[in-house]
Amino acid sequence: MPSRETHDVVVVGGGAIGLLSAFNLALGGLRVAVLERRETGLESSWAGGGIVSPLYPWRYSPAVTALAHWSQQFYPNFAETLLGKTGIDPEVHATGLYWLDLEDEAEALNWAAREGRVLERVELARVAAAVPALGAGFTRAVHMPDVANVRNPRLLKALRAALLQMPNVSLHEHCAVTGFVREDKRVAGVRSASGDFYAQRVVLAAGAWSGELLREVGLELPVVPVKGQMILYKCAEGFLPAMVLAKGRYAIPRRDGHILIGSTLEHAEFDKTPTDEALASLKASAIELLPALAAAEVVGHWAGLRPGSPEGIPFIGPVPGYEGLWLNCGHYRNGLVLAPASCRLLADLLLGCETIVDPAPYAPAGRLAPF
């Protein structure tokens, strides 16, 4: 059983947010334990598509935009760093992204002009030349050339391997947290099936399950599970040279020819069961985007649970009135997009460093209520 004061920080959750939080805190010299109820990286971080951009970035608040921009610049070099450390390539693949038949195209272009982002209208003939497999039923397109996607399962494997190399990190899988160790008003650790883990600070990064855990200390965190289903095809390499998005559905190419199609948006509590209805809907979207997929076999179909939050703005920082308890959760549909900036911001705050962005919009203070 772990002994008292073994760790400077206990991180609850082994997804992208939890692993990268631990990585940054360990780089800052802290002794970190990561607790994950299953194996690391098997929940929403694994299940998502890995586009390194919000699907419609102009529809989000400046708080989300600030984290997304920082992360987009960070990912390519970070992938190279992880590859060098672990031999595992997260495959940050800069393909660009075409949005088709946008209802709010003018707003998108205005947003790009304000933010200094490259986003332009393009003729359909140009899109057809760039993406020969694209369906013929579209009338308008805008293009952002520098958008990348990351192969999220490989990113998680690389993060896990990097953490295992760090002498000041311990990773505890199949270690479900059941509650918090309280000493007066201070959170002094967590309780788990493997015993109590004590720490100076506890970081709750449990994705869609964060709200359930925070209720244990009498707080209502507005983070709820939002189910998303995806399907996967295997095509020839180069079949889809760029990401395409229409009517809320997207196609993402991997370097080896796998094509991801996603995703649904469902409120089904913690039920992750893939459904025939979603499969049919996703296949219809796939064929509308890329008609040749009608003859292709679906080689994967799964569901994940996003940590839904108001406006998609994550909770990052200390919990007022609960000394020692910190949050990094509630990233909704943009966990992988926002992870580098969110986890750097958390580390900046916890280590007392100058922050990369203004932390105020993400602070838990004023955003939680008694349960």
Side-chain angles (χ1 to χ4, degrees):
M1 182 179 294
S3 59
R4 280 190 68 93
E5 305 301 339
T6 300
H7 309 288
D8 295 314
V9 180
V10 165
V11 176
V12 180
I17 299 295
L19 296 180
L20 192 48
S21 293
F23 184 81
N24 286 341
L25 293 168
L27 286 179
L30 300 184
R31 294 162 298 153
V32 184
V34 180
L35 277 57
E36 166 55 43
R37 67 190 184 94
R38 299 176 63 199
E39 296 174 16
T40 56
L42 292 185
E43 295 293 351
S44 63
S45 301
W46 181 93
I51 301 176
V52 187
S53 171
L55 292 184
Y56 301 97
W58 52 89
R59 298 178 186 174
Y60 284 91
S61 72
V64 173
T65 298
L67 296 178
H69 283 188
W70 195 94
S71 296
Q72 287 164 332
Q73 297 168 352
F74 179 84
Y75 257 118
N77 287 338
F78 184 53
E80 290 295 323
T81 298
L82 287 176
L83 175 59
K85 284 180 176 291
T86 68
I88 301 169
D89 186 0
E91 292 190 14
V92 174
H93 189 25
T95 65
L97 173 57
Y98 291 95
W99 285 267
L100 306 168
D101 292 351
L102 274 177
E103 295 178 356
D104 55 353
E105 183 178 297
E107 289 87 343
L109 294 168
N110 289 337
W111 170 87
R114 287 196 312 272
E115 296 291 333
R117 309 294 285 178
V118 179
L119 179 68
E120 60 177 350
R121 286 192 182 98
V122 292
E123 298 294 328
L124 262 297
R126 178 176 155 190
V127 184
V131 187
L134 187 68
F138 303 103
T139 60
R140 291 174 292 110
V142 295
H143 180 228
M144 188 177 282
D146 57 350
V147 181
N149 66 77
V150 61
R151 197 156 184 172
N152 34 310
R154 296 191 180 189
L155 172 68
L156 292 157
K157 287 180 181 178
L159 275 170
R160 182 183 186 276
L163 288 174
L164 290 175
Q165 294 175 11
M166 303 178 85
N168 52 334
V169 175
S170 60
L171 181 60
H172 305 266
E173 297 178 313
H174 303 287
C175 183
V177 169
T178 57
F180 298 92
V181 177
R182 302 287 300 278
E183 293 180 351
D184 295 324
K185 292 185 177 181
R186 180 173 177 269
V187 173
V190 298
R191 303 195 186 282
S192 81
S194 302
D196 294 349
F197 287 74
Y198 292 92
Q200 294 296 321
R201 282 155 292 194
V202 173
V203 175
L204 182 56
W209 289 265
S210 298
E212 299 293 303
L213 287 170
L214 207 57
R215 287 185 179 188
E216 203 269 342
V217 296
L219 287 174
E220 183 73 24
L221 175 71
V223 172
V224 297
V226 182
K227 183 177 179 178
Q229 299 189 49
M230 308 270 294
I231 59 174
L232 182 70
Y233 293 89
K234 181 65 168 71
C235 301
E237 292 182 36
F239 167 75
L240 181 61
M243 293 179 283
V244 292
L245 191 160
K247 300 178 182 178
R249 296 283 170 84
Y250 51 78
I252 304 171
R254 302 303 197 204
R255 288 178 180 168
D256 63 2
H258 279 98
I259 308 294
L260 284 163
I261 304 292
S263 64
T264 65
L265 199 64
E266 308 166 56
H267 292 273
E269 297 296 332
F270 288 93
D271 178 12
K272 294 194 299 176
T273 308
T275 65
D276 291 340
E277 293 83 358
L279 176 61
S281 176
L282 290 165
K283 288 176 73 172
S285 295
I287 293 165
E288 183 177 10
L289 282 168
L290 304 165
L293 293 181
E297 178 187 359
V298 174
V299 296
H301 175 206
W302 62 87
L305 299 176
R306 309 173 185 90
S309 59
E311 299 184 76
I313 299 173
F315 295 80
I316 306 171
V319 178
Y322 295 80
E323 182 186 351
L325 181 58
W326 292 63
L327 303 182
N328 194 2
C329 55
H331 295 75
Y332 196 18
R333 305 189 75 174
N334 297 309
L336 285 161
V337 185
L338 307 182
S342 296
C343 298
R344 174 64 180 273
L345 175 60
L346 174 86
D348 288 344
L349 290 168
L350 200 147
L351 294 166
C353 302
E354 182 179 355
T355 59
I356 56 166
V357 296
D358 178 7
Y362 320 101
R367 301 174 68 201
L368 307 177
F371 176 65

